[in-house]
Amino acid sequence: MPSLDSANQNPDMPGTRRNASTSLRRALSILMYLAEDDSHPQGTSLTDLATGLQMSKSTVLRLLAPLRETRLVDQDPESGHYRLGPENALLGQLYLERLDIRRTASPLLHQLAQDVREAVHLVSFDPPEIVYIDKVESPQAVRMHSRVGGRQPAYCTATGKAFLAHAPDDVVAKVIAAGMPARTPATITSPDQLRAEVARIRERGYAIDDVENELDIRCVAAPAFNHSGAVVTAVSISGPASRVTHDRLEEIGRQVIKTAQALTDRLGGIAPTSQA
């Protein structure tokens, strides 16, 4: 029977794997602590790390060694404080470059469509228009006629207004300058009314197309954010006004916000405080 020491030295032994897994989790907890420690912008001391993580200083030092070797953690030569190293930026950039928004969003869109039983869209912004980049059909007989690759004006669509609610003033001005003709009797055609509407959307967290773009179609949308806090895409629920009724809007709004927040998390994004 192998001794305890030989078991700990053999990487194939269960005890060794458990110890390695524990060390990995603890090392990762150091990275997360440094990432989330807003109270020490110039770096965190060994004492604060050990206290915050409820580890001994010797354990923290042991775990820091490989993190420093790989430049995941740097130590300030003067203060001795620790902070995230430059390799984290490289990993983050590679993650973002290889991120496929449609693939990432797909399971969330399908779940939302199943829960609400209406069409769900994923949309990008190309001012003054929005572009459908993915769609999950409603399971019901009467369906939306939208298609992936199709475009609609931003000023009168729920997804467009979700983008505009977080867009710079010059982008809002560009959309307004492109024209705001009435597409239905309910379309907002006044620039002042549109600006007031997008302000309400920022507070509420979701946007509504109240039969403003197509007759008998009502939509609810919420934005998803990227790592810099900018809106990178928007998720919408659309259906006949007879099914997406006014008394369902608040409930649907909560559901679309939940999906957009989940997508923001999967994209490594940061939502504004009002959206978190």
Side-chain angles (χ1 to χ4, degrees):
M1 179 176 180
S3 68
L4 181 60
D5 287 342
S6 64
N8 286 338
Q9 293 173 0
N10 185 345
D12 293 327
M13 296 297 291
T16 301
R17 291 198 295 271
R18 284 195 297 272
N19 291 340
S21 177
T22 299
S23 294
L24 177 59
R25 284 195 296 270
R26 287 181 170 184
L28 291 174
S29 72
I30 291 176
L31 289 177
M32 295 307 300
Y33 189 92
L34 291 174
E36 297 170 359
D37 187 11
D38 296 330
S39 59
H40 299 95
Q42 303 305 316
T44 307
S45 69
L46 176 61
T47 298
D48 286 335
L49 269 176
T51 301
L53 294 168
Q54 298 183 331
M55 299 181 195
S56 67
K57 290 184 180 179
S58 60
T59 297
V60 173
L61 282 171
R62 175 174 58 82
L63 296 171
L64 280 168
L67 295 176
R68 291 180 62 197
E69 289 173 7
T70 56
R71 299 299 305 280
L72 290 169
V73 171
D74 273 355
Q75 184 178 24
D76 186 276
E78 295 183 4
S79 68
H81 289 185
Y82 297 93
R83 55 177 176 257
L84 293 179
E87 285 300 304
N88 293 283
L90 174 62
L91 293 175
Q93 184 62 34
L94 290 172
Y95 169 77
L96 293 171
E97 287 176 357
R98 298 171 184 176
L99 195 62
D100 184 331
I101 292 179
R102 287 184 61 185
R103 188 188 311 170
T104 302
S106 181
L108 298 173
L109 302 183
H110 281 82
Q111 184 61 57
L112 182 61
Q114 179 179 322
D115 292 343
V116 182
R117 296 182 57 78
E118 297 295 349
V120 173
H121 295 95
L122 187 70
V123 173
S124 66
F125 192 29
D126 184 21
E129 298 174 315
I130 56 96
V131 183
Y132 297 115
I133 59 176
D134 206 354
K135 178 183 180 181
V136 181
E137 291 282 8
S138 166
Q140 306 202 58
V142 179
R143 297 182 174 185
M144 291 279 295
H145 296 297
S146 57
R147 60 179 177 81
V148 173
R151 291 172 172 263
Q152 294 291 342
Y155 72 94
C156 57
T157 53
T159 49
K161 289 190 284 185
F163 278 103
L164 291 174
H166 301 275
D169 290 342
D170 62 324
V171 173
V172 177
K174 179 178 180 178
V175 170
I176 291 171
M180 299 176 59
R183 294 170 67 89
T184 75
T187 305
I188 294 174
T189 58
S190 160
D192 288 342
Q193 286 182 327
L194 180 63
R195 290 190 176 97
E197 173 71 2
V198 298
R200 285 191 291 269
I201 292 165
R202 279 193 296 273
E203 294 296 322
R204 189 172 56 208
Y206 62 90
I208 300 170
D209 158 12
D210 195 4
V211 196
E212 298 166 51
N213 187 52
E214 296 180 66
L215 290 172
D216 195 41
I217 298 296
R218 188 171 285 124
C219 307
V220 182
F225 301 86
N226 66 12
H227 64 287
S228 65
V231 180
V232 67
T233 190
V235 178
S236 73
I237 296 168
S238 305
S242 59
R243 295 199 307 246
V244 182
T245 56
H246 283 115
D247 59 5
R248 291 188 66 200
L249 290 180
E250 187 174 347
E251 171 207 347
I252 291 174
R254 285 195 299 267
Q255 289 176 290
V256 77
I257 286 175
K258 181 179 178 181
T259 298
Q261 287 177 333
L263 180 54
T264 295
D265 291 341
R266 293 192 181 193
L267 295 174
I270 304 171
T273 303
S274 62
Q275 300 290 323

